[in-house]
Amino acid sequence: MAKKNKPAAPPSAASHDKPATLKDLLNPDVVNKLKAQADQMKAEAEIQREEARKQAEAARKAEQKRLDNDFEYLLNNSGMDWKKYK
């Protein structure tokens, strides 16, 4: 009879040779606190971006309203050819 080849053992030792990461070294409570702080900072940054966008939109609307009351601007930017009506 032929000898049966045994399957090779999976290289589990190689996965244990990985260097320890900072996450592995830190206390889980500290990691959770850092994640919460990062999430809070991201939320604050998003709020600031939204407020800046709203302020820019308000400034744009105010400028457009000012220009709509300016007769020279309206005359220069109208689509009609005013020379036809002289």
Side-chain angles (χ1 to χ4, degrees), residues 28-41:
D29 293 336
V30 174
V31 173
N32 290 336
K33 286 180 184 179
L34 289 173
K35 285 183 181 181
Q37 185 178 11
D39 291 340
Q40 180 183 8
M41 290 174 70

Side-chain angles (χ1 to χ4, degrees), residues 13-54:
S15 65
H16 295 295
D17 292 340
K18 293 181 182 176
T21 62
L22 184 59
K23 182 179 178 183
D24 296 336
L25 297 175
L26 287 177
N27 187 358
D29 293 336
V30 174
V31 173
N32 290 336
K33 286 180 184 179
L34 289 173
K35 285 183 181 181
Q37 185 178 11
D39 291 340
Q40 180 183 8
M41 290 174 70
K42 286 179 185 178
E44 288 173 0
E46 182 65 31
I47 290 170
Q48 287 178 352
R49 280 195 301 269
E50 185 66 24
E51 287 177 0
R53 186 191 65 78
K54 285 180 181 179

